[in-house]
Amino acid sequence: MLRIQNLVKRYGHGEPVLRGLDLDVPGESVVSIIGASGAGKSTLLRCINRLVEPTEGSIELNGLELTHLKREELRKARRRIGMIFQGFNLVDRLTVMENVQCGRLGYIPYWRAALRKYPAEDIERAYHLMERVGIAHYANKRADALSGGERQRVGVVRALMQQPEILLADEPTASLDPVSSRQIMELLQKLSQELSLPVLINIHNVAEAREYTQRIVGMRFGKLIFDGKPADLDQAAMDAVYSGTAGDDRQQADVESRQAVTS
């Protein structure tokens, strides 16, 4: 269970990006976060794993309060939180196996990673997971030789190698073609069920949120203004989430996606 209470994030003396946000994410659930650019979706995910420091509030993962952890305690806590990035965040010159093993860096001594001397059980687990997502045959291939969808599958396996208690996915399909996008969303949905793993996804594609997640959270100006099942996301809720924001290319894409879904 992830429990967030009264979360506030402010940069300097400006207006807060997150404004007293409350959110619970139970186990074995796939929850999507929608909203126009600037709503605070990515900031929320980065506060959870402390890539961004919260200004106020509480973030608790299975009984562990995350917001006040320092150094070694924080490093250990981050092992419990898998992160999947829009830009993949792979090391291009390394092989798929080497990138996947980066998910174990919080568990093994530095010298093992530097010398590529990974424990046998970690290699066995990596092959099992790569087989599960369909990339085992790429184990010795460099990451920069893969397609976008294949690279994102490497990112998924790397996160699972941490044996996380929750998966955070920050726009995991934004850089992918439509077919690869659907494949990645379906994969996250199935992995959540198979591993009893909660998944929290920041996503711009409302159609994919409707199809592949059990619950949709809508954000606007740093606040949650919708929280319900996909079937409950009607036109009024969509208007509340997306109206009244300054337009740019990404926001226009949000509006077009919304219109495509509701037309």
Side-chain angles (χ1 to χ4, degrees):
M1 163 75 80
L2 174 71
R3 172 158 290 171
I4 299 172
Q5 295 179 301
N6 195 34
L7 184 63
V8 176
K9 175 57 186 177
R10 177 183 288 106
Y11 293 96
H13 299 290
E15 290 294 315
V17 179
L18 301 177
R19 305 166 181 260
L21 187 145
D22 295 325
L23 179 66
D24 286 349
V25 180
E28 299 183 49
S29 63
V30 184
V31 180
S32 56
I33 310 171
I34 65 170
S37 299
K41 304 184 301 297
S42 292
T43 299
L44 170 58
L45 293 193
R46 282 164 167 74
C47 281
I48 294 170
N49 62 15
R50 296 277 303 279
L51 291 177
V52 167
E53 291 297 328
T55 304
E56 300 174 22
S58 170
I59 303 172
E60 185 179 291
L61 179 62
N62 293 333
L64 177 65
E65 171 57 53
L66 302 175
T67 53
H68 302 302
L69 298 179
K70 303 293 184 183
R71 296 177 182 172
E72 184 64 18
E73 289 182 335
L74 178 58
R75 187 181 75 88
K76 289 181 179 179
R78 280 179 172 151
R79 299 188 306 201
R80 303 166 65 172
I81 306 171
M83 185 76 175
I84 300 167
F85 300 89
Q86 173 185 346
F88 316 127
N89 281 25
L90 304 181
V91 182
D92 286 343
R93 62 183 177 80
L94 298 184
T95 66
V96 168
M97 174 61 78
E98 290 167 338
N99 271 283
V100 163
Q101 292 297 332
C102 289
R104 301 300 295 170
L105 292 180
Y107 294 89
I108 65 175
Y110 173 77
W111 68 268
R112 274 190 173 273
L115 296 175
R116 312 289 196 269
K117 292 187 177 296
Y118 309 114
E121 59 269 26
D122 287 353
I123 295 175
E124 182 179 356
R125 176 171 171 78
Y127 273 117
H128 171 74
L129 290 170
M130 287 191 291
E131 184 70 33
R132 169 61 187 82
V133 307
I135 58 170
H137 55 296
Y138 292 137
N140 296 315
K141 197 169 186 177
R142 278 178 51 133
D144 57 4
L146 304 182
S147 69
E150 292 162 350
R151 287 164 67 84
Q152 193 58 285
R153 289 172 187 267
V154 177
V156 170
V157 175
R158 178 184 57 194
L160 293 177
M161 285 293 290
Q162 297 177 219
Q163 297 180 289
E165 297 173 23
I166 189 170
L167 269 183
L168 308 178
D170 191 11
E171 299 187 37
T173 65
S175 301
L176 305 179
D177 62 79
V179 173
S180 296
S181 295
R182 291 192 293 271
Q183 291 172 343
I184 290 297
M185 290 298 294
E186 182 178 350
L187 176 62
L188 292 175
Q189 182 188 59
K190 290 181 177 179
L191 288 171
S192 175
Q193 296 170 351
E194 293 172 10
L195 303 175
S196 300
L197 187 65
V199 180
L200 185 59
I201 306 174
N202 165 13
I203 189 168
H204 273 277
N205 190 314
V206 177
E208 289 180 355
R210 287 180 182 274
E211 183 173 359
Y212 295 106
T213 68
Q214 302 159 315
R215 175 180 163 205
I216 297 177
V217 170
M219 292 184 64
R220 181 180 173 194
F221 300 141
K223 293 184 177 182
L224 298 190
I225 60 172
F226 175 83
D227 188 349
K229 296 178 180 179
D232 298 328
L233 189 67
D234 58 14
Q235 185 64 52
M238 293 287 283
D239 289 342
V241 171
Y242 286 97
S243 64
T245 53
D248 59 18
D249 290 342
R250 289 290 294 277
Q251 289 164 343
Q252 183 61 35
D254 289 333
V255 172
E256 292 171 356
S257 174
R258 172 164 60 92
Q259 290 173 340
V261 170
T262 56
S263 62

